Amino acid sequence: MSTLKSIFSWLGRFLERARTVMLNLGTAFVLIFLTIIIIGAFTASGPDAKDPSGRVLILDPQGIVVDEEVFSDDFLASITNDESDQIQTRDLIELIQNIAADDEIPAVLIDFSGTGFAGPTTALNIAKELKALKDSGKRVIAFGDRMTTSSYLMASQASEIWIHPVGSISIAGLGGMRQYNKELYENLKINFNNYSQGDFKSAVEGNTRTNMSENDRLQRTAILEPIWNEYKSLMSESRGITAEEIQYFADNYIGFFGEAAMMNIEFATSKNIINGTKSFPEFRQYMIENFGEDEDADTTTYKYISYQEYADQLEKDLEEDSENEIAVITAEGVIMEGEIAPGVAGANGIVKQIRKAHENENTKAIVFRVNSPGGSIIASEMMRDELFAAKRKGLKVVVSMGDYAASGGVYISTPADYIFAEPTTITGSIGVAIALPTLENAMDYIGVNFDGVVTSKYAGWDPLQKIDDDLDKIFESWGAGAYDRFITFVSDSRSQPYEDIKSIAGGRVWIGSAAQELGLVDELGDIDDAINYAVQMADLEDYQVEYYGQELSPEEIIIKELLDSFDVSIKEPEVLTALSGLSKLYSEYTDLKQPKALIACENCLVDID
């Protein structure tokens, strides 16, 4: 007994010491973090603001362009990850429009090689703003050492394009290859039981087939070709060449290695895809000759101002002071339960925003911006329920579809009084994806048997065991019921007969212009069109727009403002990135034990380099 008592006594002392060490480590981390911010704030503070008059504005956004900036639950991890930089589409567009209207800025130097886009429609919209910038009479110059499809789309809107002599330029186009793992799973003795609903619902066919189905090929061709044609049209029109020449370049001059594609540069120059090449010193001298040397700079360079410095000096337009508010709420990313995070339209967080909007007596209408390929049914239902709660109070709901509003993105749009989509929005995919892997063959092969006592037929069942005929019927009924509910929601929302919606459902993906012809959306237009329509529906003479973003704590706001103001960057240690990857892998494994019916369109996402 005394021995046992000693063990517990030792264990208690150990736990107490461990708790003290963990508290000290946590306190030390916070102090180190705040010290870095304070030091960075002092060391990063520079001279007085530059006068932008007569200076070339350098527009080189670093990060991904999204509808609404969000952060993960782990705020510190979110802001210390270099990949988390986000640029709100409306902020970038407003900046470009301000530059176009500023007669004091003689030219703009653009480089979008470090910019990603939430989807192809976002990229096209930014390219069109750059085109308008050039059309305003502003001289727009593009320069870089590598250009890919998306960065060249932006560069092609410039007055002139220069690239480094051993740089890389390639236009890879859109789309990509997908793995088909049926034979792999057969070799591993894993069965994939597919209960997906809809002949075009291809989300799980990578696990159930050895090649692409004809239906999937048909629908992907139908969405990729119009978007690609729009890309080629913008590129070729601005450069004064034909779309066929862009296509020939994409087909015959690849850029897999990222640099030194000399043949690419020679062909691109000969066909006016670019103006030519300049080394970094040559380009610097070119800019000095055109715009003058900056006498105040520490080194020899031309007169320039960064877009961040310029944006900091812009006077914010004061919105009309009105008690009538149009609430703009964004669902961006995969629809899941929980809080909002980068790439995740967290239902709990979005529901809070919707509720906050309809509980505000000044809210007169809601614009619901949907940029999602879908996801969880229950999470979609949560958002849908809260939108109907708003409608019961007499508020109008207008949906604005962005890059993607497919599957669950359609589901959460069904409460809308009116739906806008952009011509290249990817929508539809009205179907249900359910696929459940079972390992009975693998268990049999390695000699594992199951036995036990249960009080109901399937109390002891899990995916390590076989799906019998009765359970197979249950899963099939489960998927069919979810599909029927989905079609019914769309049918009611669009005031179309159930059979008519079913005939265009089937999990098929449609592009925005086709969706309008089918009656899945009411009108083609962007988010500004949706806001203006909401104003009309609410019959308002004056209003202001209220964007409902993610709410941060006062402490988080202070840290973010410090980091933004003084441009302090704290990189995430590689070990944390590795642990994050392991965590995701574990989550994928646990999902095998928790089968879910999803309204998702994983393969409607368009790959652009």
Side-chain angles (χ1 to χ4, degrees):
M1 185 69 182
S2 60
T3 303
L4 186 63
K5 185 176 181 181
S6 298
I7 291 173
F8 278 108
S9 177
W10 175 86
L11 183 60
R13 291 195 302 273
F14 172 79
L15 291 175
E16 180 63 27
R17 290 175 182 172
R19 185 180 69 85
T20 302
V21 169
M22 293 302 293
L23 284 173
N24 289 340
L25 284 174
T27 302
F29 174 78
V30 171
L31 291 175
I32 291 170
F33 180 74
L34 291 175
T35 301
I36 291 173
I37 291 178
I38 294 170
I39 293 174
F42 283 108
T43 58
S45 56
D48 294 337
K50 288 182 182 178
D51 181 359
S53 301
R55 292 183 178 274
V56 176
L57 187 142
I58 299 178
L59 183 60
D60 58 345
Q62 302 294 307
I64 183 168
V65 183
V66 296
D67 281 330
E68 190 71 39
E69 184 181 29
V70 298
F71 304 96
S72 66
D73 288 340
D74 188 347
F75 177 75
L76 292 181
S78 178
I79 61 174
T80 57
N81 186 348
D82 284 348
E83 296 179 359
S84 67
D85 293 338
Q86 299 164 76
I87 306 150
Q88 293 184 147
T89 305
R90 62 179 179 271
D91 294 337
L92 183 55
I93 289 176
E94 182 182 8
L95 174 66
I96 295 171
Q97 291 174 347
N98 272 287
I99 297 168
D102 191 340
D103 294 333
E104 300 300 318
I105 299 293
V108 181
L109 172 61
I110 64 172
D111 178 5
F112 279 75
S113 59
T115 313
F117 298 92
T121 295
T122 297
L124 286 167
N125 286 341
I126 298 302
K128 290 171 183 176
E129 290 296 332
L130 293 174
K131 179 180 184 298
L133 175 65
K134 182 183 67 175
D135 291 345
S136 71
K138 197 78 65 182
R139 186 173 173 184
V140 182
I141 303 167
F143 176 73
D145 57 3
R146 54 180 54 86
M147 292 183 188
T148 59
T149 304
S150 57
S151 57
Y152 179 75
L153 174 65
M154 305 303 148
S156 66
Q157 307 311 305
S159 316
E160 52 193 282
I161 307 173
W162 304 97
I163 198 165
H164 193 279
V166 294
S168 170
I169 177 172
S170 65
I171 303 173
L174 307 178
M177 295 294 177
R178 179 185 184 185
Q179 292 182 197
Y180 290 85
N181 303 318
K182 180 182 178 182
E183 291 181 353
L184 170 65
Y185 290 123
E186 287 175 350
N187 291 336
L188 294 174
K189 299 187 180 300
I190 298 174
N191 291 336
F192 255 91
N193 306 272
N194 188 8
Y195 301 101
S196 298
Q197 302 292 311
D199 293 337
F200 287 84
K201 198 69 177 178
S202 62
V204 300
E205 74 172 34
N207 297 325
T208 60
R209 292 181 57 90
T210 59
N211 61 358
M212 179 179 282
S213 67
E214 287 306 311
N215 280 349
D216 194 28
R217 190 178 304 278
L218 175 65
Q219 68 177 349
R220 288 191 65 78
T221 300
I223 62 173
L224 286 174
E225 285 191 347
I227 297 173
W228 177 230
N229 288 338
E230 182 72 8
Y231 268 60
K232 290 190 295 183
S233 176
L234 275 175
M235 292 173 181
S236 60
E237 180 183 343
S238 181
R239 296 301 299 168
I241 58 179
T242 66
E244 288 74 21
E245 287 173 304
I246 294 291
Q247 184 67 55
Y248 184 86
F249 183 62
D251 289 337
N252 295 281
Y253 291 86
I254 60 175
F256 292 143
F257 300 107
E259 59 184 20
M262 302 302 298
M263 292 175 59
N264 292 25
I265 292 177
E266 291 171 4
F267 180 84
T269 304
S270 70
K271 294 297 182 181
N272 199 39
I273 293 173
I274 62 174
N275 288 77
T277 64
K278 292 184 184 296
S279 68
F280 293 111
E282 288 172 341
F283 183 75
R284 183 171 59 247
Q285 186 59 36
Y286 176 75
M287 296 297 283
I288 290 174
E289 291 171 357
N290 279 268
F291 304 105
E293 183 177 343
D294 189 347
E295 302 294 343
D296 298 326
D298 295 332
T299 58
T300 303
T301 188
Y302 55 95
K303 296 178 180 178
Y304 72 87
I305 183 172
S306 72
Y307 79 90
Q308 296 98 331
E309 291 174 310
Y310 181 77
D312 289 342
Q313 298 180 46
L314 287 176
E315 293 184 7
K316 295 292 183 182
D317 291 334
L318 295 177
E319 291 186 352
E320 185 176 356
D321 187 16
S322 172
E323 293 185 352
N324 301 319
E325 294 181 1
I326 302 296
V328 177
I329 298 166
T330 302
E332 185 162 31
V334 178
I335 297 171
M336 297 174 62
E337 296 174 65
E339 294 302 324
I340 302 168
V344 177
N348 293 38
I350 292 171
V351 165
K352 289 176 188 175
Q353 292 179 0
I354 299 171
R355 187 168 66 247
K356 184 177 179 181
H358 72 65
E359 288 179 352
N360 178 3
E361 62 181 13
N362 291 337
T363 301
K364 300 300 185 290
I366 292 175
V367 172
F368 194 37
R369 176 68 168 179
V370 179
N371 199 351
S372 171
S376 160
I377 290 179
I378 185 62
S380 299
E381 290 269 1
M382 290 168 63
M383 297 184 209
R384 192 173 179 276
D385 290 345
E386 203 61 41
L387 287 171
F388 274 115
K391 286 170 65 81
R392 285 193 291 271
K393 293 183 176 181
L395 294 177
K396 298 296 184 181
V397 175
V398 178
V399 162
S400 168
M401 293 180 170
D403 294 286
Y404 311 103
S407 206
V410 173
Y411 203 95
I412 61 176
S413 299
T414 52
D417 296 291
Y418 204 80
I419 299 177
F420 283 87
E422 306 209 30
T424 50
T425 293
I426 296 172
T427 186
S429 192
I430 301 168
V432 179
I434 310 174
L436 179 61
T438 55
L439 306 179
E440 68 272 20
N441 291 340
M443 295 298 101
D444 182 63
Y445 179 75
I446 63 176
V448 176
N449 299 303
F450 296 90
D451 200 357
V453 176
V454 294
T455 58
S456 63
K457 189 172 181 179
Y458 297 110
W461 184 88
D462 67 21
L464 297 178
Q465 303 169 55
K466 180 181 178 180
I467 296 176
D468 64 22
D469 290 343
D470 289 341
L471 189 56
D472 182 74
K473 292 175 182 177
I474 291 172
F475 284 145
E476 183 68 33
S477 174
W478 179 24
Y483 184 42
D484 174 75
R485 184 176 176 85
F486 195 170
I487 294 174
T488 300
F489 284 168
V490 178
S491 171
D492 293 343
S493 171
R494 305 311 301 161
S495 300
Q496 292 190 37
Y498 178 96
E499 291 302 325
D500 288 356
I501 295 298
K502 188 174 182 179
S503 68
I504 60 174
R508 180 162 183 178
V509 179
W510 303 95
I511 200 161
S513 52
Q516 185 195 25
E517 294 175 3
L518 295 169
L520 290 176
V521 304
D522 295 292
E523 190 172 337
L524 298 180
D526 58 20
I527 189 168
D528 290 333
D529 295 317
I531 291 171
N532 291 333
Y533 194 85
V535 171
Q536 294 177 25
M537 293 189 79
D539 194 23
L540 303 178
E541 293 184 1
D542 60 85
Y543 69 95
Q544 63 184 35
V545 179
E546 184 70 25
Y547 289 93
Y548 281 71
Q550 188 176 6
E551 291 188 358
L552 299 177
S553 68
E555 296 85 356
E556 291 169 341
I557 292 173
I558 291 172
I559 293 173
K560 182 179 182 299
E561 289 298 325
L562 280 170
L563 292 174
D564 289 344
S565 298
F566 298 103
D567 195 24
V568 181
S569 176
I570 307 172
K571 293 185 178 180
E572 179 180 295
E574 291 184 7
V575 65
L576 295 183
T577 303
L579 289 174
S580 176
L582 290 174
S583 174
K584 290 179 181 177
L585 182 63
Y586 174 76
S587 296
E588 290 178 5
Y589 169 76
T590 56
D591 282 345
L592 295 180
K593 292 189 174 182
Q594 300 171 351
K596 296 179 180 178
L598 298 176
I599 39 178
C601 179
E602 296 177 7
N603 301 311
C604 69
L605 302 177
V606 174
D607 295 328
I608 51 176
D609 68 355

